[in-house]
Short mmCIF file of all heavy atoms in Angstrom, two decimals:
data_model
loop_
_atom_site.label_atom_id
_atom_site.label_comp_id
_atom_site.label_asym_id
_atom_site.label_seq_id
_atom_site.Cartn_x
_atom_site.Cartn_y
_atom_site.Cartn_z
N MET Z 577 46.30 -71.80 -11.37
CA MET Z 577 46.75 -71.11 -12.68
C MET Z 577 48.19 -70.93 -12.65
O MET Z 577 48.89 -70.72 -11.64
CB MET Z 577 46.19 -69.65 -12.54
CG MET Z 577 44.75 -69.56 -12.85
SD MET Z 577 44.39 -69.70 -14.56
CE MET Z 577 44.68 -68.00 -15.03
N PRO Z 578 48.82 -71.19 -13.92
CA PRO Z 578 50.29 -71.07 -13.87
C PRO Z 578 50.71 -69.60 -13.80
O PRO Z 578 50.08 -68.66 -14.17
CB PRO Z 578 50.57 -71.49 -15.32
CG PRO Z 578 49.30 -71.47 -16.15
CD PRO Z 578 48.23 -71.52 -15.18
N ASN Z 579 51.77 -69.47 -12.98
CA ASN Z 579 52.29 -68.16 -12.68
C ASN Z 579 53.84 -68.19 -12.86
O ASN Z 579 54.39 -69.18 -12.55
CB ASN Z 579 51.96 -67.83 -11.23
CG ASN Z 579 50.90 -66.77 -11.22
OD1 ASN Z 579 50.77 -65.92 -12.03
ND2 ASN Z 579 50.19 -66.62 -10.14
N PRO Z 580 54.40 -66.91 -13.28
CA PRO Z 580 55.89 -66.99 -13.30
C PRO Z 580 56.44 -67.13 -11.83
O PRO Z 580 55.90 -66.56 -10.95
CB PRO Z 580 56.20 -65.62 -13.73
CG PRO Z 580 54.99 -64.87 -13.94
CD PRO Z 580 53.87 -65.75 -13.77
N LYS Z 581 57.48 -67.95 -11.73
CA LYS Z 581 58.03 -68.22 -10.36
C LYS Z 581 58.75 -67.00 -9.87
O LYS Z 581 58.60 -66.72 -8.65
CB LYS Z 581 59.05 -69.35 -10.60
CG LYS Z 581 59.45 -69.98 -9.21
CD LYS Z 581 60.27 -71.32 -9.48
CE LYS Z 581 60.40 -72.05 -8.17
NZ LYS Z 581 61.07 -73.39 -8.33
N ARG Z 582 59.46 -66.27 -10.71
CA ARG Z 582 60.08 -65.09 -10.19
C ARG Z 582 60.10 -63.98 -11.33
O ARG Z 582 59.87 -64.21 -12.50
CB ARG Z 582 61.55 -65.30 -9.78
CG ARG Z 582 62.48 -65.58 -11.01
CD ARG Z 582 63.92 -66.02 -10.39
NE ARG Z 582 63.85 -67.36 -9.83
CZ ARG Z 582 64.03 -68.47 -10.67
NH1 ARG Z 582 64.13 -68.41 -11.97
NH2 ARG Z 582 64.02 -69.67 -10.10
N ARG Z 583 60.15 -62.80 -10.83
CA ARG Z 583 60.17 -61.58 -11.67
C ARG Z 583 61.44 -61.68 -12.56
O ARG Z 583 62.60 -62.01 -12.16
CB ARG Z 583 60.26 -60.33 -10.79
CG ARG Z 583 59.65 -59.22 -11.44
CD ARG Z 583 59.15 -58.28 -10.26
NE ARG Z 583 60.15 -57.55 -9.70
CZ ARG Z 583 60.13 -56.21 -9.57
NH1 ARG Z 583 59.15 -55.52 -9.97
NH2 ARG Z 583 61.14 -55.55 -8.92
N TRP Z 584 61.28 -61.19 -13.91
CA TRP Z 584 62.48 -61.12 -14.74
C TRP Z 584 63.22 -59.94 -14.30
O TRP Z 584 62.61 -58.89 -13.95
CB TRP Z 584 62.01 -61.12 -16.12
CG TRP Z 584 61.70 -62.45 -16.81
CD1 TRP Z 584 61.46 -63.57 -16.07
CD2 TRP Z 584 61.67 -62.79 -18.15
NE1 TRP Z 584 61.28 -64.59 -16.89
CE2 TRP Z 584 61.30 -64.10 -18.19
CE3 TRP Z 584 61.65 -62.00 -19.37
CZ2 TRP Z 584 61.21 -64.78 -19.44
CZ3 TRP Z 584 61.55 -62.64 -20.50
CH2 TRP Z 584 61.33 -64.05 -20.56
N SER Z 585 64.54 -60.05 -14.44
CA SER Z 585 65.42 -58.99 -14.06
C SER Z 585 65.26 -57.74 -14.96
O SER Z 585 64.58 -57.88 -16.08
CB SER Z 585 66.89 -59.43 -14.15
OG SER Z 585 67.16 -59.64 -15.56
N LYS Z 586 65.65 -56.62 -14.57
CA LYS Z 586 65.57 -55.37 -15.36
C LYS Z 586 66.30 -55.54 -16.64
O LYS Z 586 65.81 -55.07 -17.68
CB LYS Z 586 66.20 -54.23 -14.65
CG LYS Z 586 65.47 -53.71 -13.45
CD LYS Z 586 66.27 -52.73 -12.71
CE LYS Z 586 65.82 -52.50 -11.27
NZ LYS Z 586 66.79 -51.90 -10.38
N SER Z 587 67.34 -56.27 -16.70
CA SER Z 587 68.17 -56.47 -17.87
C SER Z 587 67.37 -57.38 -18.86
O SER Z 587 67.25 -57.02 -20.01
CB SER Z 587 69.48 -57.26 -17.51
OG SER Z 587 70.02 -57.86 -18.54
N ARG Z 588 66.70 -58.46 -18.43
CA ARG Z 588 65.85 -59.28 -19.24
C ARG Z 588 64.75 -58.49 -19.83
O ARG Z 588 64.38 -58.50 -21.06
CB ARG Z 588 65.30 -60.47 -18.40
CG ARG Z 588 66.27 -61.53 -18.17
CD ARG Z 588 66.63 -62.38 -19.30
NE ARG Z 588 65.70 -63.28 -19.78
CZ ARG Z 588 65.33 -64.51 -19.28
NH1 ARG Z 588 66.00 -65.02 -18.26
NH2 ARG Z 588 64.44 -65.19 -19.84
N ARG Z 589 64.04 -57.66 -18.90
CA ARG Z 589 62.95 -56.82 -19.35
C ARG Z 589 63.35 -55.90 -20.48
O ARG Z 589 62.77 -55.69 -21.47
CB ARG Z 589 62.43 -56.07 -18.14
CG ARG Z 589 61.16 -55.24 -18.30
CD ARG Z 589 61.08 -54.23 -17.33
NE ARG Z 589 62.18 -53.33 -17.23
CZ ARG Z 589 62.54 -52.49 -16.33
NH1 ARG Z 589 61.88 -52.49 -15.17
NH2 ARG Z 589 63.43 -51.66 -16.37
N ASP Z 590 64.46 -55.15 -20.23
CA ASP Z 590 64.95 -54.07 -21.07
C ASP Z 590 65.48 -54.68 -22.43
O ASP Z 590 65.32 -54.09 -23.46
CB ASP Z 590 65.97 -53.24 -20.45
CG ASP Z 590 65.47 -52.45 -19.24
OD1 ASP Z 590 64.20 -52.35 -19.08
OD2 ASP Z 590 66.32 -51.93 -18.51
N LYS Z 591 66.00 -55.86 -22.38
CA LYS Z 591 66.42 -56.52 -23.60
C LYS Z 591 65.21 -56.89 -24.42
O LYS Z 591 65.25 -56.77 -25.76
CB LYS Z 591 67.13 -57.82 -23.25
CG LYS Z 591 68.71 -57.57 -23.21
CD LYS Z 591 69.49 -58.91 -23.23
CE LYS Z 591 69.77 -59.37 -21.81
NZ LYS Z 591 70.57 -60.59 -21.75
N ARG Z 592 64.21 -57.32 -23.86
CA ARG Z 592 62.87 -57.48 -24.65
C ARG Z 592 62.43 -56.24 -25.24
O ARG Z 592 61.94 -56.28 -26.35
CB ARG Z 592 61.87 -58.13 -23.62
CG ARG Z 592 60.55 -58.49 -24.38
CD ARG Z 592 59.57 -59.03 -23.39
NE ARG Z 592 59.03 -58.11 -22.55
CZ ARG Z 592 59.09 -58.21 -21.21
NH1 ARG Z 592 59.67 -59.24 -20.62
NH2 ARG Z 592 58.57 -57.30 -20.40
N ARG Z 593 62.48 -55.14 -24.46
CA ARG Z 593 61.96 -53.94 -24.98
C ARG Z 593 62.93 -53.27 -26.05
O ARG Z 593 62.48 -52.17 -26.56
CB ARG Z 593 61.81 -52.92 -23.75
CG ARG Z 593 60.65 -53.48 -22.94
CD ARG Z 593 60.32 -52.49 -21.74
NE ARG Z 593 59.30 -53.14 -20.88
CZ ARG Z 593 58.98 -52.60 -19.77
NH1 ARG Z 593 59.52 -51.44 -19.32
NH2 ARG Z 593 58.02 -53.25 -19.11
N THR Z 594 64.00 -53.75 -26.33
CA THR Z 594 64.89 -53.12 -27.44
C THR Z 594 64.20 -53.21 -28.80
O THR Z 594 64.45 -52.53 -29.64
CB THR Z 594 66.24 -53.84 -27.51
OG1 THR Z 594 66.07 -55.21 -27.84
CG2 THR Z 594 67.09 -53.68 -26.31
N HIS Z 595 63.25 -54.27 -28.88
CA HIS Z 595 62.39 -54.39 -30.03
C HIS Z 595 61.28 -53.48 -30.23
O HIS Z 595 60.68 -53.33 -31.18
CB HIS Z 595 61.96 -55.87 -30.23
CG HIS Z 595 63.13 -56.87 -30.23
ND1 HIS Z 595 63.85 -57.12 -31.29
CD2 HIS Z 595 63.52 -57.62 -29.26
CE1 HIS Z 595 64.79 -57.98 -30.97
NE2 HIS Z 595 64.54 -58.42 -29.81
N TYR Z 596 60.92 -52.90 -29.10
CA TYR Z 596 59.79 -51.85 -29.16
C TYR Z 596 60.42 -50.57 -29.69
O TYR Z 596 61.14 -49.86 -29.05
CB TYR Z 596 59.27 -51.54 -27.71
CG TYR Z 596 58.64 -52.73 -27.08
CD1 TYR Z 596 58.56 -53.98 -27.50
CD2 TYR Z 596 58.05 -52.45 -25.74
CE1 TYR Z 596 58.10 -55.02 -26.77
CE2 TYR Z 596 57.53 -53.44 -25.08
CZ TYR Z 596 57.42 -54.76 -25.48
OH TYR Z 596 56.87 -55.79 -24.86
N LYS Z 597 60.02 -50.28 -30.92
CA LYS Z 597 60.47 -49.12 -31.63
C LYS Z 597 59.27 -48.09 -31.87
O LYS Z 597 58.25 -48.62 -32.32
CB LYS Z 597 61.31 -49.46 -32.86
CG LYS Z 597 62.61 -50.17 -32.61
CD LYS Z 597 63.43 -50.21 -33.77
CE LYS Z 597 64.63 -51.04 -33.43
NZ LYS Z 597 64.41 -52.51 -33.47
N ALA Z 598 59.59 -46.81 -31.75
CA ALA Z 598 58.61 -45.85 -32.07
C ALA Z 598 58.42 -45.72 -33.49
O ALA Z 598 59.32 -45.05 -34.10
CB ALA Z 598 58.95 -44.54 -31.34
N THR Z 599 57.45 -46.24 -34.04
CA THR Z 599 57.21 -46.18 -35.55
C THR Z 599 55.66 -45.51 -35.72
O THR Z 599 54.79 -45.90 -35.03
CB THR Z 599 57.24 -47.43 -36.23
OG1 THR Z 599 56.45 -48.38 -35.66
CG2 THR Z 599 58.64 -47.94 -36.33
N ILE Z 600 55.54 -44.69 -36.62
CA ILE Z 600 54.28 -44.18 -37.07
C ILE Z 600 53.96 -44.90 -38.32
O ILE Z 600 54.40 -44.46 -39.43
CB ILE Z 600 54.22 -42.62 -37.19
CG1 ILE Z 600 54.73 -41.98 -35.94
CG2 ILE Z 600 52.81 -42.25 -37.41
CD1 ILE Z 600 55.18 -40.57 -36.11
N SER Z 601 53.20 -45.97 -38.29
CA SER Z 601 52.93 -46.74 -39.42
C SER Z 601 52.01 -46.17 -40.36
O SER Z 601 52.03 -46.28 -41.57
CB SER Z 601 52.59 -48.20 -39.14
OG SER Z 601 51.38 -48.19 -38.26
N ALA Z 602 51.07 -45.30 -39.90
CA ALA Z 602 49.91 -44.74 -40.67
C ALA Z 602 50.50 -43.43 -41.28
O ALA Z 602 49.85 -42.42 -41.30
CB ALA Z 602 48.72 -44.53 -39.83
N LEU Z 603 51.78 -43.40 -41.73
CA LEU Z 603 52.33 -42.20 -42.27
C LEU Z 603 52.87 -42.68 -43.67
O LEU Z 603 53.70 -43.51 -43.80
CB LEU Z 603 53.39 -41.69 -41.43
CG LEU Z 603 53.84 -40.24 -41.57
CD1 LEU Z 603 52.68 -39.32 -41.13
CD2 LEU Z 603 55.17 -39.94 -40.75
N GLY Z 604 52.40 -41.94 -44.69
CA GLY Z 604 52.90 -42.16 -46.08
C GLY Z 604 53.15 -40.90 -46.75
O GLY Z 604 53.29 -39.82 -46.08
N THR Z 605 53.40 -40.97 -48.05
CA THR Z 605 53.68 -39.85 -48.79
C THR Z 605 52.45 -39.54 -49.84
O THR Z 605 51.91 -40.40 -50.25
CB THR Z 605 54.91 -39.98 -49.76
OG1 THR Z 605 54.93 -41.19 -50.48
CG2 THR Z 605 56.23 -39.90 -48.84
N CYS Z 606 52.24 -38.25 -50.01
CA CYS Z 606 51.13 -37.92 -50.85
C CYS Z 606 51.54 -38.19 -52.31
O CYS Z 606 52.63 -38.00 -52.75
CB CYS Z 606 50.95 -36.40 -50.62
SG CYS Z 606 49.65 -35.64 -51.74
N SER Z 607 50.59 -38.81 -53.09
CA SER Z 607 50.85 -39.14 -54.46
C SER Z 607 50.82 -37.83 -55.35
O SER Z 607 51.23 -37.87 -56.42
CB SER Z 607 49.74 -40.07 -54.92
OG SER Z 607 48.36 -39.58 -54.70
N ASN Z 608 50.17 -36.70 -54.76
CA ASN Z 608 50.18 -35.54 -55.63
C ASN Z 608 51.45 -34.56 -55.38
O ASN Z 608 51.99 -34.21 -56.42
CB ASN Z 608 48.87 -34.84 -55.16
CG ASN Z 608 48.60 -33.60 -56.05
OD1 ASN Z 608 48.60 -33.72 -57.42
ND2 ASN Z 608 48.52 -32.41 -55.50
N CYS Z 609 51.72 -34.37 -54.17
CA CYS Z 609 52.84 -33.46 -53.91
C CYS Z 609 54.08 -34.13 -53.28
O CYS Z 609 55.12 -33.58 -53.25
CB CYS Z 609 52.39 -32.26 -53.18
SG CYS Z 609 51.96 -32.65 -51.29
N GLY Z 610 53.92 -35.41 -52.77
CA GLY Z 610 55.01 -36.04 -52.18
C GLY Z 610 55.31 -35.74 -50.75
O GLY Z 610 56.26 -36.22 -50.32
N GLU Z 611 54.51 -34.96 -50.16
CA GLU Z 611 54.74 -34.54 -48.80
C GLU Z 611 54.29 -35.75 -47.86
O GLU Z 611 53.55 -36.64 -48.18
CB GLU Z 611 53.74 -33.37 -48.33
CG GLU Z 611 54.39 -31.96 -48.93
CD GLU Z 611 55.52 -31.57 -47.99
OE1 GLU Z 611 55.55 -31.72 -46.71
OE2 GLU Z 611 56.44 -31.01 -48.60
N MET Z 612 54.85 -35.72 -46.62
CA MET Z 612 54.42 -36.69 -45.63
C MET Z 612 53.05 -36.44 -45.28
O MET Z 612 52.66 -35.27 -44.97
CB MET Z 612 55.37 -36.66 -44.41
CG MET Z 612 56.84 -37.14 -44.68
SD MET Z 612 56.90 -38.86 -44.70
CE MET Z 612 57.30 -39.25 -42.99
N LYS Z 613 52.19 -37.56 -45.29
CA LYS Z 613 50.88 -37.29 -44.81
C LYS Z 613 50.31 -38.51 -44.18
O LYS Z 613 50.99 -39.66 -44.24
CB LYS Z 613 49.96 -37.00 -46.00
CG LYS Z 613 49.77 -38.21 -47.03
CD LYS Z 613 48.89 -37.82 -48.13
CE LYS Z 613 47.50 -38.32 -48.09
NZ LYS Z 613 47.20 -39.74 -47.69
N LEU Z 614 49.28 -38.47 -43.32
CA LEU Z 614 48.55 -39.68 -42.68
C LEU Z 614 47.78 -40.37 -43.84
O LEU Z 614 47.17 -39.72 -44.62
CB LEU Z 614 47.74 -39.18 -41.65
CG LEU Z 614 48.34 -38.51 -40.43
CD1 LEU Z 614 47.20 -37.80 -39.52
CD2 LEU Z 614 49.13 -39.47 -39.59
N THR Z 615 47.85 -41.72 -43.80
CA THR Z 615 47.03 -42.50 -44.73
C THR Z 615 45.65 -42.32 -44.41
O THR Z 615 45.27 -42.19 -43.29
CB THR Z 615 47.47 -43.94 -44.77
OG1 THR Z 615 47.48 -44.54 -43.43
CG2 THR Z 615 49.03 -44.15 -45.27
N HIS Z 616 44.83 -42.49 -45.37
CA HIS Z 616 43.35 -42.39 -45.37
C HIS Z 616 42.94 -41.13 -44.84
O HIS Z 616 41.81 -40.82 -44.38
CB HIS Z 616 42.80 -43.46 -44.39
CG HIS Z 616 43.24 -44.86 -44.77
ND1 HIS Z 616 44.00 -45.58 -43.97
CD2 HIS Z 616 43.09 -45.66 -45.93
CE1 HIS Z 616 44.35 -46.76 -44.56
NE2 HIS Z 616 43.80 -46.86 -45.75
N ARG Z 617 43.78 -40.04 -45.11
CA ARG Z 617 43.44 -38.65 -44.73
C ARG Z 617 43.85 -37.79 -45.94
O ARG Z 617 44.95 -38.17 -46.60
CB ARG Z 617 44.27 -38.14 -43.48
CG ARG Z 617 43.82 -38.80 -42.20
CD ARG Z 617 42.44 -38.45 -41.67
NE ARG Z 617 42.13 -38.99 -40.46
CZ ARG Z 617 41.80 -40.32 -40.20
NH1 ARG Z 617 41.60 -41.15 -41.28
NH2 ARG Z 617 41.56 -40.73 -39.12
N ALA Z 618 43.14 -36.77 -46.11
CA ALA Z 618 43.57 -35.86 -47.18
C ALA Z 618 44.99 -35.23 -46.85
O ALA Z 618 45.25 -35.02 -45.64
CB ALA Z 618 42.51 -34.77 -47.34
N CYS Z 619 45.75 -34.94 -47.84
CA CYS Z 619 47.06 -34.28 -47.68
C CYS Z 619 46.85 -32.93 -47.03
O CYS Z 619 46.15 -32.19 -47.56
CB CYS Z 619 47.85 -34.31 -48.90
SG CYS Z 619 49.36 -33.48 -48.89
N PRO Z 620 47.62 -32.71 -45.99
CA PRO Z 620 47.45 -31.29 -45.39
C PRO Z 620 48.00 -30.20 -46.11
O PRO Z 620 47.73 -29.06 -45.98
CB PRO Z 620 48.07 -31.45 -43.85
CG PRO Z 620 48.99 -32.60 -44.15
CD PRO Z 620 48.34 -33.52 -45.21
N SER Z 621 49.00 -30.51 -46.97
CA SER Z 621 49.67 -29.42 -47.68
C SER Z 621 49.02 -29.14 -48.97
O SER Z 621 49.08 -27.99 -49.51
CB SER Z 621 51.25 -29.80 -47.92
OG SER Z 621 51.35 -30.93 -48.49
N CYS Z 622 48.45 -30.06 -49.78
CA CYS Z 622 47.82 -29.86 -50.99
C CYS Z 622 46.37 -30.11 -51.13
O CYS Z 622 45.71 -29.69 -52.00
CB CYS Z 622 48.66 -30.50 -52.14
SG CYS Z 622 48.34 -32.32 -52.17
N GLY Z 623 45.86 -30.72 -50.03
CA GLY Z 623 44.44 -31.06 -49.97
C GLY Z 623 43.91 -32.15 -50.85
O GLY Z 623 42.69 -32.20 -51.00
N TYR Z 624 44.75 -32.98 -51.48
CA TYR Z 624 44.36 -34.03 -52.23
C TYR Z 624 44.14 -35.30 -51.50
O TYR Z 624 44.86 -35.66 -50.52
CB TYR Z 624 45.43 -34.23 -53.43
CG TYR Z 624 45.14 -33.45 -54.61
CD1 TYR Z 624 45.11 -32.03 -54.68
CD2 TYR Z 624 44.86 -34.09 -55.81
CE1 TYR Z 624 44.90 -31.30 -55.73
CE2 TYR Z 624 44.53 -33.43 -56.99
CZ TYR Z 624 44.51 -32.01 -56.87
OH TYR Z 624 44.39 -31.26 -58.03
N TYR Z 625 43.20 -36.03 -51.84
CA TYR Z 625 43.04 -37.45 -51.42
C TYR Z 625 42.39 -38.25 -52.56
O TYR Z 625 41.39 -37.83 -53.20
CB TYR Z 625 41.99 -37.37 -50.17
CG TYR Z 625 41.88 -38.82 -49.59
CD1 TYR Z 625 43.02 -39.52 -49.08
CD2 TYR Z 625 40.76 -39.50 -49.69
CE1 TYR Z 625 42.79 -40.86 -48.59
CE2 TYR Z 625 40.54 -40.79 -49.23
CZ TYR Z 625 41.59 -41.40 -48.73
OH TYR Z 625 41.54 -42.67 -48.21
N ASN Z 626 43.06 -39.40 -52.85
CA ASN Z 626 42.51 -40.34 -53.82
C ASN Z 626 42.58 -39.58 -55.25
O ASN Z 626 41.53 -39.70 -55.93
CB ASN Z 626 41.22 -40.91 -53.57
CG ASN Z 626 40.98 -42.23 -54.09
OD1 ASN Z 626 41.80 -42.83 -54.82
ND2 ASN Z 626 39.80 -42.77 -53.80
N GLU Z 627 43.50 -38.82 -55.52
CA GLU Z 627 43.79 -38.17 -56.87
C GLU Z 627 42.83 -37.03 -57.06
O GLU Z 627 42.67 -36.48 -58.05
CB GLU Z 627 43.78 -39.17 -58.00
CG GLU Z 627 44.55 -40.42 -57.87
CD GLU Z 627 45.99 -40.37 -57.68
OE1 GLU Z 627 46.64 -39.35 -58.30
OE2 GLU Z 627 46.58 -40.95 -56.81
N ARG Z 628 42.05 -36.67 -55.98
CA ARG Z 628 41.12 -35.62 -56.21
C ARG Z 628 41.30 -34.58 -55.08
O ARG Z 628 41.72 -34.90 -53.96
CB ARG Z 628 39.65 -36.14 -56.17
CG ARG Z 628 39.21 -36.77 -57.48
CD ARG Z 628 37.74 -37.21 -57.44
NE ARG Z 628 37.64 -38.41 -56.38
CZ ARG Z 628 36.53 -38.37 -55.57
NH1 ARG Z 628 35.65 -37.55 -55.70
NH2 ARG Z 628 36.39 -39.32 -54.73
N SER Z 629 41.06 -33.24 -55.48
CA SER Z 629 41.30 -32.20 -54.50
C SER Z 629 40.03 -32.20 -53.54
O SER Z 629 38.89 -32.04 -53.99
CB SER Z 629 41.33 -30.85 -55.25
OG SER Z 629 41.38 -29.82 -54.32
N MET Z 630 40.23 -32.28 -52.16
CA MET Z 630 39.27 -32.24 -51.24
C MET Z 630 39.03 -30.93 -50.80
O MET Z 630 37.94 -30.50 -50.34
CB MET Z 630 39.71 -33.24 -50.02
CG MET Z 630 39.71 -34.67 -50.45
SD MET Z 630 38.06 -35.25 -50.72
CE MET Z 630 38.39 -36.21 -52.23
N PHE Z 631 40.03 -30.09 -50.63
CA PHE Z 631 39.97 -28.71 -50.19
C PHE Z 631 41.15 -27.87 -50.75
O PHE Z 631 42.17 -28.45 -51.08
CB PHE Z 631 39.90 -28.54 -48.66
CG PHE Z 631 41.15 -29.14 -47.93
CD1 PHE Z 631 42.23 -28.30 -47.64
CD2 PHE Z 631 41.21 -30.39 -47.54
CE1 PHE Z 631 43.35 -28.84 -47.02
CE2 PHE Z 631 42.37 -30.97 -46.89
CZ PHE Z 631 43.46 -30.17 -46.60
N ILE Z 632 41.07 -26.62 -50.74
CA ILE Z 632 42.13 -25.75 -51.22
C ILE Z 632 42.93 -25.28 -50.03
O ILE Z 632 42.35 -24.62 -49.14
CB ILE Z 632 41.61 -24.61 -52.03
CG1 ILE Z 632 40.60 -25.02 -53.19
CG2 ILE Z 632 42.72 -23.72 -52.66
CD1 ILE Z 632 41.09 -25.87 -54.20
N PRO Z 633 44.15 -25.66 -49.99
CA PRO Z 633 44.90 -25.18 -48.77
C PRO Z 633 45.17 -23.57 -48.81
O PRO Z 633 45.06 -22.99 -49.70
CB PRO Z 633 46.28 -25.85 -48.85
CG PRO Z 633 46.34 -26.33 -50.21
CD PRO Z 633 45.06 -26.43 -50.70
N LYS Z 634 45.09 -23.10 -47.44
CA LYS Z 634 45.07 -21.61 -47.28
C LYS Z 634 46.41 -20.94 -47.80
O LYS Z 634 46.31 -20.00 -48.47
CB LYS Z 634 44.94 -21.38 -45.87
CG LYS Z 634 43.48 -21.54 -45.35
CD LYS Z 634 43.22 -20.90 -43.89
CE LYS Z 634 41.85 -21.28 -43.50
NZ LYS Z 634 41.77 -22.54 -42.72
N SER Z 635 47.50 -21.67 -47.44
CA SER Z 635 48.81 -20.94 -47.84
C SER Z 635 49.20 -21.42 -49.33
O SER Z 635 49.06 -22.50 -49.60
CB SER Z 635 49.87 -21.33 -46.81
OG SER Z 635 49.96 -22.73 -46.75
ZN1 ZN E 1209 49.82 -33.47 -51.17
#
């Protein structure tokens, strides 16, 4: 089996990891109120999903 001859240095490893960025891709804006919301979930602030009200928010 092919194997790496030697371990990559901390510098090489860390340079590769500069491309690893913390992103929350499943985050969009609500089409009803414009708040940040998770996609494929009802909006937590207005309760709308797919242009329809799913629940009435308490506040
Ligand atoms: Zn909303």
Side-chain angles (χ1 to χ4, degrees):
M577 284 287 278
N579 250 333
K581 196 167 190 174
R582 71 185 75 82
R583 205 152 82 126
W584 278 16
S585 68
K586 288 171 198 166
S587 161
R588 291 281 294 272
R589 182 201 65 198
D590 293 349
K591 268 193 263 181
R592 183 179 69 241
R593 290 182 186 173
T594 61
H595 300 283
Y596 296 4
K597 292 195 184 75
T599 54
I600 309 159
S601 53
L603 200 67
T605 51
C606 175
S607 57
N608 185 57
C609 70
E611 281 287 319
M612 290 284 269
K613 71 179 259 310
L614 294 169
T615 54
H616 309 113
R617 296 288 185 278
C619 173
S621 58
C622 70
Y624 266 65
Y625 182 68
N626 210 358
E627 315 298 319
R628 281 183 295 140
S629 179
M630 293 291 135
F631 61 91
I632 310 300
K634 288 191 180 86
S635 56

